Structure formats: C-alpha cells, structure tokens
Amino acid sequence: MDCHKTCVCASNIVSCSKMNLTNVPLALPKYTAVLDLSFNSITRLRAEWTPDHLSRLHSLLLSNNGLTFLSSEAFIYVTKLRYLDLSSNGLRILDEFIFEPLEHLEVLLLYNNHISQIDRTAFSGLDRLQRLYLSQNSITRFPLELVKERSRLETLKLLDVSSNRIKSLPLYELQVLPAWIKNGLYFHNNSLSCSCDLYDMVARWYLKELNSATDFKSSHTCVIPGQRKEKMAILDLDKAYLNCSEVKTLDEEAYLEQFLVLDCDTRQRDMVKRWALPGNIPLSPANKTAVIRSDGNLQIGPLRLEDSGVYTCYATSDSLNETLYVTVVVFNATTAGG
Amino acid sequence: MLCLQVDVDAAASFHTKRSGCLCTADIVSCTAFGLQRVPAEIPVFAVTLDLSHNQLEQLEAGSFTGLVRLETLRLAHNQLTGVHSGAFRNSSGTLLRHLDLSSNQLHVLEQHYFQELPGLEELLLFNNRIVHVESRALAGLTNLRKAYLSHNRLTDFPFFSIQKHSHPLLSLLDLSSNRLPKLPLEDISNLPPAVQAGLYLHNNSLVCECSTYGLFRFWKQRGFDSIRFFQQEHICLVYGRQRGTLRVFQSGRYFENCNLTALKEQQSSVSVKAGKALLLHCLTSLSGSVTFLWVAPNWEYVVPPGNNGSLKMFANGSLEIMAAREQDSGIYWCMALDRQQQRNETWEVNVTVVPHHDRDAHEPFNTGFTTLLGCVVSLVLVLMYLYLTPCRCPPCPKARSPATAAPGNEAGPGSAQSSILTPTPPATTEGPGRKVSTNKHVVFLEPIREQQNGRLRAGQGVGLTGSGLLIGAEQQPRLHRAAETDSIMSVFSDTPIMLP
C-alpha cells in the first residue's frame, strides 16, 4: 500500500476513514498499531484481508461499513488486538469461535448491528476481555455463559445487552454476582416480563447506586403480559400493577447471639477496605466480636443489642474512593425465641 | 434529548438517517450527525465521547462541562480551527487520557490548549494545518506517552521543552511529514533517550547536511523503529548545482566526505573519578518484560544481581560500578532482549576512569610537566653535542637525528622518557656511529601503571607490537574510530621501550 496516496499514515497510525473503500487496502504496513477503516463500504472481512501478521496492531476500527460477513479466519493474523470496533454494521450472526484468536482483546464493540444469533462459543478465547458492548441488536437470549460463576470471563467488568429483545433474565445468577460486575451489567430497554423478582433486583441495584441502574433509570422497563404489550417502569412495580413489596433499605436484620457477615460490595474490584463500627469507632485487633475477613467483609457476633447501628466501610483504590453504609438491626430476642 | 430512543419492537431501519446519538452503557457516539457545535445535553455517564465526522469549527469554553467521567474524546474529521481557553474546564480533568483532534484545521498549538488536561496520555494532532507549536503548548502534560503531529506544516518544534522531568513517559513523538528544514541537533541529543528512540522525522524538508546524515545513521545503528520502518522516507533536499530530493540511506556517496567523529553521542562516553561509583543505563526503546545482559571490558558477562564483587546489576538493566578502578575503564556493552516480541537492542558505553592525582604517590610528574622537561633536556643535550664535542666542523645542514641522543634518556625506571618517530632514516650516520634501524618506529604510549599488573590498558588508540607496527583503532569494536587511526597522542612511557 502506498501510504501517502491511499490513507493518512502518521507513523504507526494508518487512518483510512471515509475514503470510499470497498475493500481493505492491500499490503498494510507491518508496523501499523492503529488501523482506522471506519465509514467506508467494506461489507466483507475475508480471511486474507491481511496476509501478513500485523503483530503491532492493537486497535482495529471498522464501524459504519455495512459489514455483513466476518470470515471465521478473519482475525488469525491480528492476535495482538486489544480494541475492536465493529459497531454500526450489518452483522447478523456471531459464529462459533469467531473471536478465538483474539486472546489479548480488551474491548469489543458490537452495538448497533442486526445480531440475532450468538453461538455459545462465539466469545470463547477472549481471555482478557474487559468490556463487551452488544446493545441495539436483536438478541433474544441473555448470554449467561459470560457471567455464570464457573465459566465467566475473569476480567469482564462491562457487559451491555441493553436495547435488545431479551425476554427473561437469569435473576438468581445475576443477584449473586459481586457489585463490580453488576455495576457494568446493562440490560435496560429489553422485552423483560414484569415480575416482583425483577423489581426486587432492580430496586436493590438502584439503592446500591450501581451505574447500570442509576444511569438508565428511565429505560428500565418491563412488558405487561397481554395483547397490547404495554411497557412500564420496573421501579414503579411497587406502586402499581403488581404492587410488589417495597425495597426501602438494605438493612441487615438479625437476632441476639447470631453472627452476621457484612459485605463491602464495592463497585470497583480489588479495593482496600477499612471498617468502622457504629459511631465511627475504628476497629481494634483486641475486639473479638468484630473481625475483618480476608475478602474485606466484616464478621460481627455473637450479636448484642448494642451492636445495632450503621457500620461504615471505607474503600480506596488508585482511581476511586467508595464509602458504603450497612445498617444492622439486632432484635431483642434470640432465634430460639424468648 | 440527545440520545436516540431505541424502540426494540420497531423494524430494524438501517438506512434511514439517525435522529439521535447512540448512547449505550458508557459510550456516547454522535458521529456523522451534522453537528456544528458541541451539543449541550451530553449524558454524564459518557466515558467515551465520539464527535468525529461532524462540522465543528470551534471548541468553545465549557464545551464539556459536567462530563466528569470522560476518558476518551474523539473530535477527528471536523473543521476545528481553534480551541478556546477553558474548553475543557469542569470536565473530567486528569481522567481524560486520549484526545483525538486529527484531520481538522488547527493552525497554531497555543499554550492554553491542553492546560486543563494534565492526565493526557495520547494526543493525536496529525493531518491539521499546524505551522507553529508554542513552547509551552505541551507543558504540564506529565503523563504524555504518545504525541502525533505528522502531516502538518511545522517548520520548527520546541524540542527543548521535552525533558526527562517534564515528560518522563513520552515514548513516541511523530513529526514526520512536516516542513522542518533543519534540526537543532543539540536539543535533539538532549532529549530523553526514550523520546529519541521514538522520534519520527521522515518526510520533512531537511537540507542535506552531514549532521543530519550522522544523526540518522546513528539512529539506524541503534535499531530505532523510526529508521527501521521508514528508511526510504528519510529524505533531504539538495541545494546548489543539483536541486532535488535525496533518499538519505541511498545516498552514501553524497555524504562520503562527512566527518562523523564529531557526532559521537554524548551519552555513550562517560568518565568517572577513581573510587567513585558509576551507574550505567542500558539505553533502549524496548519496554515491557525485557531482560538485560552486560559485558564488561574484561569480557565478563553480568546479569542481575551482579558479579558479587565490583559490579552490581539491577533488573531494569542498570549496571553499577561500585568503586571505579582504572581497570574498569573500557567499553561496556549491553543487550536488551524482549523475548515476547523477539526483539533485541544493543548499547555501548565507553567508560574512562580518571585516576585521582592525590592517591597515586608514585606518579612523579603530570603529563604536561614531563613533556616540557623532556623537551628542555633534549634541547640541552643537543646543544651540548653541537658545541661541546671535539669536532669543530661546521654544523651539517641536515639536522642530526634526535634519536641518537637516546643514551642520555635512559635515566632508569621511574623517570620520563621520550621517543620520537622518524619517518625516514637520517642521511648521515655521523656522531657516535649509531645506525638508526629503518624498522625503528617510535610510538607514543599512555603511561603504563604498576597497578595494572603489567596489563596494558585496553581501549586506547595505539600500541606497540613486536614488529613495530602501530596498532590501529580498527581492532577496537567502536563506532566512528576510523578517523582516529592516524591520530597520535603525545604521552610518555616511563619504562624503556625495547626496540627490535
């Protein structure tokens, strides 16, 4: 490829955006780190779109091309890719192992396509994937394999399946996920059936101020079963239609002599956590009734009435600080009664 | 409402013009939306904001107010001619890492442009119309890693504003495809090594000059990517009888008369006082998981943590000579190996250990003084021979070979002694009847010290072999030594020279 005729070559950035291309330019430079092919008419990404290994390529931008076909061997020569933008195209199906060679991929943008079918192994091999955007497609099945405890991708912190046609969510599996995954799990604007379980989950996420709930509050809608397929706001389900029991606070309730584990379930991973007892009293090693665990959670017990109150968890990391409050209510009775 | 309201039940309309921006999770994408100014109601959840391919002309003050999570801002392919003061006020501050202003119409990089973005890591400014970068335009960008300024109209660049303390992480500075006529070589050689390794200057308007040629040759020898991948595009312009463009690396003949010795890289030569510690760095552009290896002048291989004696080596490739001795002088060679990418780079440092005058009690005189003394003694002896010897003949027109005064010089060990090179044998053999051997070459040697255990100090220019030939510098694995082969250093030996 003659760098100065076809595209704009700025050392290792090759910028071919909006250049009326119908195919990927031949003989791309081996040193290319960023390849911008957005806003062209490349409708097919064939196996040999680059016959040579582009071992320095870490960003490939292919949005807005009317792309409808991805060869199963499209990515074998760009295995160092970290960022892949296939958004705003015409993709319909994600085939088995389609992204398997991309073991370094961190961000995958597939929003605004026509995807209705995703093979269960489509995301296989993406061992470093952090952010996956699948919104504005025609997906009907929630990709549970991505978040299910045993099989889930270790590094995935953002999964966006909003604005699709998903009818049901695996509510139980989602509820047991840590906050740092829930924070980035976007499922609003789908075709979910209204239920009190759904209300419960969304209400709790909203109370924990998770981004996926608070940033798109008005888009969290569910479908009332029936002919007209009316939609209503999930968070209104305690006031109308189903009259679900309100989720007001996230109090921990317990009885005397019991043990409780208070979690400091932060929106970010791997934060350094420090607890304070009610009245902002710091923890002391001598105190055997309040012990911080290795996972950052606080174990209190055996409980006495005086242990009621607001426990504070101070969590810090390089970029964020978070403070979580847990209200503990100890009932003046033991579980056995009396 | 800026964001497109997606109706999941409506038929997928691919070809109809979008009536809003695509907002999803943490991305707000308003590409090709016909925008003439930055929209006011951008959602706060935006971590990535894409406004490329619009018709923005100015970035007004407060354009991104309230976007406290912004990390990536794409403004490429607009018609921006300027950035107003305060454009980035009250936005995400240090969170903004990636700013793409490529393919616009910026004219001058004014110093206030990036003032409110101290966290910037990648700055894309290629394909604009920039003619000038103000000297403080990049000031304060201490996290800057990559700056792309190619395809502009720059005729100069404030290299002096890039220092190790101001831009410690900068590893790529792309100034290719501009109009630089001349390079400020001193400022460039003062750039941090990591910047030099990632400095792209190809396809400019450089005048064909020895200094420019020398710089590019040096970079090629270092294996820098800038030369490796763009060798053909290193061009220069010739003025004079032949107007035209030369490819620097295909025009060896044009530059063959260049004296490249003056271009010795300052950092590749270091001196240290005897007894002091010296830290050598393996200057390389490789990063990531890199292993290092040093080879000392005595051919000792050194890896971390060191050789358990005089040399300590760190995992980052630095080598410490704990207390420099004279035998530590010489060429230190290091190799940096990136196994993952299968790349290696080598680097050499010439270390000179300067002996401490106070410590060496055996040294009778310093070099200058002994030279002067030798000259005076020789002169006195010559005059004695001429005027105090029995022969009354008028002095011969041809000067006597001063080498015949040799007997007077053998004053014993520990004193200065001189020997002088005679290119041709003397015409007469009058006098004490000593015949001058045609094979006698006089050489100038560095004083040989007792402490060296009889070993000649390595790395010096000349020495004496049995056959009396000068050992040239060709045998030394150094760059740019060819010109020094014939240079003669004037020093004295304090031991008698045995001539064949």
Side-chain angles (χ1 to χ4, degrees), chain A residues 112-332:
Chain A
N112 197 24
N113 275 278
H114 301 149
I115 299 169
S116 57
Q117 275 186 59
I118 303 179
D119 189 278
R120 280 171 208 274
T121 59
F123 302 115
S124 200
L126 296 175
D127 298 327
R128 310 244 177 115
L129 193 63
Q130 293 177 19
R131 312 211 299 264
L132 176 56
Y133 299 84
L134 287 162
S135 77
Q136 292 167 48
N137 279 290
S138 304
I139 298 168
T140 51
R141 176 188 79 83
F142 182 88
L144 182 59
E145 63 273 12
L146 290 172
V147 293
K148 207 174 157 138
E149 192 110 27
R150 256 168 280 127
S151 59
R152 75 160 182 258
L153 299 173
E154 280 301 303
T155 47
L156 194 64
K157 61 184 182 190
L158 189 146
L159 173 58
D160 179 16
V161 292
S162 62
S163 299
N164 275 288
R165 297 177 194 218
I166 299 172
K167 293 197 169 62
S168 75
L169 291 176
L171 292 174
Y172 178 73
E173 276 90 342
L174 291 185
Q175 268 297 63
V176 297
L177 292 172
W180 65 266
I181 297 184
K182 289 183 197 168
N183 190 52
L185 216 169
Y186 299 80
F187 56 84
H188 57 271
N189 199 21
N190 270 288
S191 311
L192 302 173
S193 304
C194 299
S195 75
C196 282
D197 284 340
L198 179 63
Y199 162 78
D200 207 73
M201 189 180 85
V202 176
R204 283 179 192 280
W205 287 30
Y206 186 71
L207 277 176
K208 271 187 84 76
E209 297 181 6
L210 302 176
N211 288 345
S212 51
T214 55
D215 292 342
F216 293 92
K217 186 182 178 194
S218 57
S219 302
H220 271 293
T221 55
C222 60
V223 174
I224 298 172
Q227 279 275 340
R228 284 185 303 167
K229 293 227 169 108
E230 269 173 58
K231 279 209 215 147
M232 73 176 285
I234 295 175
L235 288 172
D236 285 343
L237 282 175
D238 60 332
K239 304 178 196 68
Y241 179 52
L242 290 177
N243 292 327
C244 303
S245 49
E246 198 185 347
V247 174
K248 264 185 297 200
T249 53
L250 299 172
D251 289 351
E252 293 280 351
E253 295 173 341
Y255 292 89
L256 295 172
E257 306 296 316
Q258 269 190 324
F259 281 82
L260 261 188
V261 176
L262 307 180
D263 73 61
C264 189
D265 197 12
T266 48
R267 297 207 302 270
Q268 227 201 18
R269 271 188 110 157
D270 302 327
M271 296 180 92
V272 176
K273 295 168 185 173
R274 186 174 65 82
W275 283 92
L277 304 171
N280 220 355
I281 300 166
L283 278 182
S284 69
N287 189 345
K288 295 285 179 243
T289 57
V291 177
I292 190 164
R293 306 203 313 191
S294 54
D295 57 8
N297 295 337
L298 184 71
Q299 180 182 287
I300 52 174
L303 291 171
R304 302 155 302 169
L305 278 180
E306 313 84 84
D307 291 328
S308 298
V310 177
Y311 290 73
T312 316
C313 173
Y314 299 99
T316 51
S317 76
D318 293 331
S319 47
L320 258 192
N321 285 344
E322 263 185 80
T323 309
L324 292 178
Y325 303 98
V326 184
T327 308
V328 172
V329 175
V330 183
F331 294 123
N332 191 3

Side-chain angles (χ1 to χ4, degrees), chain B residues 107-265:
Chain B
H107 185 59
V108 170
L109 275 196
E110 295 176 53
Q111 69 179 48
H112 67 258
Y113 275 21
F114 313 117
Q115 225 170 23
E116 278 134 337
L117 303 174
L120 260 191
E121 293 180 10
E122 287 161 9
L123 182 53
L124 280 67
L125 292 159
F126 62 87
N127 201 24
N128 273 279
R129 295 182 192 177
I130 302 171
V131 295
H132 182 58
V133 175
E134 288 187 358
S135 53
R136 294 196 56 74
L138 302 176
L141 300 180
T142 46
N143 280 337
L144 195 62
R145 285 157 213 262
K146 299 181 186 169
Y148 294 87
L149 282 144
S150 76
H151 289 279
N152 276 292
R153 299 175 190 183
L154 292 172
T155 50
D156 58 34
F157 182 82
F159 289 104
F160 56 84
S161 68
I162 311 277
Q163 308 270 330
K164 182 124 192 167
H165 62 85
S166 61
H167 300 92
L169 302 172
L170 189 60
S171 64
L172 188 145
L173 178 56
D174 182 10
L175 293 166
S176 61
S177 299
N178 272 289
R179 298 179 190 181
L180 298 172
K182 208 170 154 53
L183 298 175
L185 285 172
E186 187 164 340
D187 290 343
I188 289 179
S189 62
N190 284 333
L191 287 170
V195 178
Q196 289 188 48
L199 179 55
Y200 292 80
L201 293 170
H202 59 271
N203 203 21
N204 267 286
S205 312
L206 299 170
V207 174
C208 295
E209 264 182 348
C210 282
S211 51
T212 309
Y213 174 65
L215 181 72
F216 290 151
R217 264 260 319 249
F218 180 63
W219 287 2
K220 179 173 179 176
Q221 276 156 349
R222 298 282 308 280
F224 287 173
D225 283 353
S226 55
I227 309 291
R228 204 166 131 209
F229 296 129
F230 296 95
Q231 189 161 300
Q232 303 285 66
E233 282 137 286
H234 279 75
I235 55 171
C236 65
L237 307 182
V238 181
Y239 297 106
R241 267 181 288 163
Q242 274 178 313
R243 280 183 151 265
T245 308
L246 282 186
R247 292 217 166 126
V248 172
F249 291 100
Q250 286 173 334
S251 309
R253 286 254 302 251
Y254 182 86
F255 295 106
E256 67 189 349
N257 292 324
C258 287
N259 177 9
L260 296 175
T261 54
L263 296 162
K264 203 161 81 153
E265 177 67 34

Side-chain angles (χ1 to χ4, degrees), chain A residues 12 17 56 133 135-136 160, chain B residues 6 22 24 26 53 148 225:
Chain A
N12 58 9
S17 184
R56 306 259 186 128
Y133 299 84
S135 77
Q136 292 167 48
D160 179 16
Chain B
V6 178
L22 289 176
T24 186
D26 56 2
H53 290 287
Y148 294 87
D225 283 353

